[in-house]
Amino acid sequence: MRHIAIIGSGPAGYYTAEAAQKALGEAVRIDIFDAMPVPFGLIRSGVAPDHQSIKGVSRRYEKVALSDNVRFAGNVTIGRDVSVAEMQELYDAIVLATGAPNDRALDVPGEDLGNVFGSAEFVGWYNGHPQFADLNPDLSGRTAVIIGMGNVALDVARILAKSRAEFVGSDIVTHALDALDHSKIARIVILGRRGPHQIMMTPKELGELGELERAVPRVAETDLPPLEADAVLEPGLRKSVTLLRSFAATPESVRAEKPISLDFVFMSSPKALIGNDKVEGVKIEKTHLVDGRAVGTGTFETIPADLVVSCIGYRTSPIPGVPYDERAGRFANEAGRILPGLYCVGWARRGPSGTIGTNRPDGYSVVEKIREDIEAGALGPVRKTGRAGFDALAAERDLEVVTFRDWKRIEEAEEKAAREGAPREKFVDIEAMIRARE
Ligand SMILES: Cc1cc2nc3c(=O)[nH]c(=O)nc-3n(C[C@H](O)[C@H](O)[C@H](O)COP(=O)(O)OP(=O)(O)OC[C@H]3O[C@@H](n4cnc5c(N)ncnc54)[C@H](O)[C@@H]3O)c2cc1C
């Protein structure tokens, strides 16, 4: 029997478990660990609360979790409660599926001003991640500036723009729903260093901005390249640019009916955040493109801002003893192998890109690497104690391990506490989660 420990219960972790079950069957035992008492990573705490159908993918992971040779062990932080070296003593293979939970820094002066947040913090706040539940962003100002032109920026813009009624059926946590309900934000700027042809927004998510009850997107006609230039774009991007064109063509009469404006500002690189204690503006430099890269033109402007959310990417948390690629912000690896017996998948392997489904081939390919290493004898003889060894260590250290059955109880309590029309009210406190299983 071989023992595999998967660290992280997000999509990459569960696809790896699914792949290991399929490829290695009864010859393996798989333990999935998570620092949180609840599973599924960004499916729970990243994917937008008003996109419930996407969150439904966790049902598929549940099937894996409930199989006999797979076990969930929540509330265990590897690298803190148990070291990677200790895990290597217990398991034949360790797969790090720890994601990329830290915001990439903007690296501009003023980044530490009040009411400036990274998207991990802001998204964590409205999604009820215990680490960010107390963020308490000030929404009493008029203008929010969102830095970045990817789907996370779209999520943040949409959440800031929606009315209370538009959140019916979502699992946005009540503290965020109430705060957003009192928001005074009337202008949401979406700022990008490059132009409409370089956005990283997918058409479905971009299209939603055009269907909001009280907000309307604004794109300046003069920012759009000539229509013929769209012909060379790949189909998805072409669709997104076509949406930008339709936003530019929205008549002023329609615009006047809606109190919130979602303004796309292209070719603008943030250079400083301005303010005393709290942010008051974003100083930008206008750019032009050189070989697809944004290069400053020497023309500066300041956009007033009462709230800033930067959505410019994420970095993996380093873990003591694991080689780390500082430049890329993820574990140093070759196609998922860090060294025989230690692997990584998902965002921890390739950085924060792609959709949930992109993590699936990652999981399958890393299991192939494990199989190759087993067959090559690189994982040593069959002698590891796996689950039994871990349980002994957990008992010795008094770790409060949360099982999948416990999670189902927590889930049941969250469902019971739901507002009318909502699927659940999430616990935003780790202690409360742990108590709810009793
Ligand atoms: C705001 C946002 C919205 C998104 N929306 C969509 C969407 O609508 N559609 C879509 O297809 N994709 C979306 N994505 C992308 C998708 O969420 C990712 O592709 C996916 O979650 C990455 O999976 P992962 O398993 O690598 O990481 P994660 O989902 O981040 O899972 C990592 C897990 O590891 C755990 N962990 C971390 N460190 C440790 C440790 N030391 N010990 C134990 N456990 C640890 C974490 O608690 C977490 O549960 C979104 C991403 C973000 C940020």
Side-chain angles (χ1 to χ4, degrees):
M1 178 69 63
R2 293 287 184 176
H3 300 277
I4 301 179
I6 298 172
I7 318 304
S9 68
Y14 271 105
Y15 287 128
T16 305
E18 181 186 282
Q21 269 186 322
K22 284 197 179 148
L24 306 167
E26 280 306 310
V28 284
R29 287 279 173 277
I30 303 158
D31 286 359
I32 304 179
F33 293 87
D34 206 288
M36 295 282 289
V38 293
F40 308 137
L42 287 173
I43 300 296
R44 177 178 165 104
S45 65
V47 170
D50 56 343
H51 283 171
Q52 286 300 313
S53 61
I54 296 175
K55 287 182 188 276
V57 70
S58 59
R59 296 281 163 237
R60 172 182 175 147
Y61 305 153
E62 193 155 300
K63 270 202 200 132
V64 176
L66 294 172
S67 358
D68 285 344
N69 59 346
V70 176
R71 181 176 87 161
F72 173 73
N75 202 34
V76 179
T77 301
I78 303 303
R80 187 195 69 188
D81 299 330
V82 182
S83 71
V84 168
E86 287 167 328
M87 293 295 281
Q88 283 170 311
E89 283 299 309
L90 300 171
Y91 292 86
D92 296 289
I94 319 266
V95 182
L96 300 170
T98 51
N102 304 314
D103 285 301
R104 198 155 75 77
L106 268 175
D107 269 340
V108 300
E111 198 165 4
D112 297 333
L113 285 170
N115 234 25
V116 175
F117 305 108
S119 54
E121 299 172 294
F122 196 79
V123 170
W125 169 70
Y126 64 63
N127 260 332
H129 191 294
Q131 201 180 338
F132 306 115
D134 296 331
L135 198 70
N136 206 13
D138 179 356
L139 307 177
S140 65
R142 185 176 180 279
T143 307
V145 174
I146 297 169
I147 300 174
M149 284 198 174
N151 279 353
V152 175
L154 282 179
D155 278 353
V156 171
R158 193 181 66 254
I159 297 294
L160 281 171
K162 276 194 164 180
S163 66
R164 191 173 187 104
E166 286 172 291
F167 284 112
V168 168
S170 82
D171 67 351
I172 188 166
V173 287
T174 296
H175 67 234
L177 181 62
D178 288 344
L180 288 163
D181 203 20
H182 293 101
S183 163
K184 295 281 181 287
I185 289 168
R187 183 178 187 225
I188 300 167
V189 174
I190 304 173
L191 189 77
R193 281 183 305 165
R194 301 192 292 166
H197 275 189
Q198 286 77 38
I199 58 171
M200 307 282 282
M201 298 165 161
T202 46
K204 185 178 162 289
E205 283 69 22
L206 184 58
E208 284 178 78
L209 286 199
E211 291 159 12
L212 297 171
E213 198 178 283
R214 58 178 190 179
V216 62
R218 178 189 291 270
V219 172
E221 196 84 55
T222 48
D223 284 338
L224 293 166
L227 183 61
E228 315 81 77
D230 293 1
V232 298
L233 301 177
E234 61 82 20
L237 180 56
R238 191 169 344 125
K239 260 194 196 164
S240 292
V241 174
T242 303
L243 282 162
L244 293 179
R245 292 187 188 283
S246 73
F247 296 162
T250 307
E252 279 307 320
S253 55
V254 171
R255 214 161 258 167
E257 287 166 14
K258 305 208 179 184
I260 301 178
S261 185
L262 292 150
D263 299 354
F264 284 79
V265 175
F266 297 100
M267 312 302 297
S268 302
S269 173
K271 290 289 155 192
L273 303 183
I274 295 164
N276 287 318
D277 295 331
K278 225 177 112 212
V279 70
E280 290 168 22
V282 180
K283 183 178 175 187
I284 54 126
E285 181 176 19
K286 296 307 287 181
T287 63
H288 64 121
L289 290 180
V290 178
D291 296 332
R293 275 188 325 110
V295 174
T297 60
T299 304
F300 295 87
E301 285 171 22
T302 298
I303 302 173
D306 305 291
L307 165 72
V308 171
V309 184
S310 74
C311 307
I312 58 162
Y314 302 92
R315 291 169 66 85
T316 295
S317 297
I319 297 184
V322 181
Y324 190 80
D325 179 341
E326 267 302 331
R327 202 190 49 79
R330 51 178 159 74
F331 296 120
N333 73 92
E334 240 169 73
R337 187 189 277 118
I338 299 173
L339 39 100
L342 186 61
Y343 312 85
C344 55
V345 283
W347 279 17
R349 164 186 173 177
R350 45 169 227 282
S353 65
T355 61
I356 292 164
T358 317
N359 302 296
R360 189 167 183 268
D362 257 27
Y364 279 73
S365 76
V366 88
V367 167
E368 267 317 298
K369 296 269 173 304
I370 295 173
R371 204 218 308 249
E372 278 169 25
D373 288 346
I374 291 175
E375 283 169 7
L379 302 191
V382 176
R383 66 167 181 85
K384 304 281 169 95
T385 52
R387 201 166 282 191
F390 176 83
D391 287 349
L393 185 65
E396 196 184 300
R397 299 215 170 141
D398 228 359
L399 300 182
E400 201 156 1
V401 180
V402 172
T403 65
F404 203 80
R405 189 186 294 240
D406 291 337
W407 149 242
K408 293 307 285 178
R409 284 204 201 101
I410 298 170
E411 185 182 45
E412 205 181 302
E414 289 188 337
E415 285 168 359
K416 266 200 195 131
R419 295 181 300 274
E420 206 185 323
R424 64 188 67 78
E425 182 67 43
K426 290 180 197 163
F427 289 109
V428 299
D429 177 272
I430 287 186
E431 283 309 313
M433 290 175 186
I434 292 174
R435 272 199 311 276
R437 70 192 175 142
E438 281 149 15

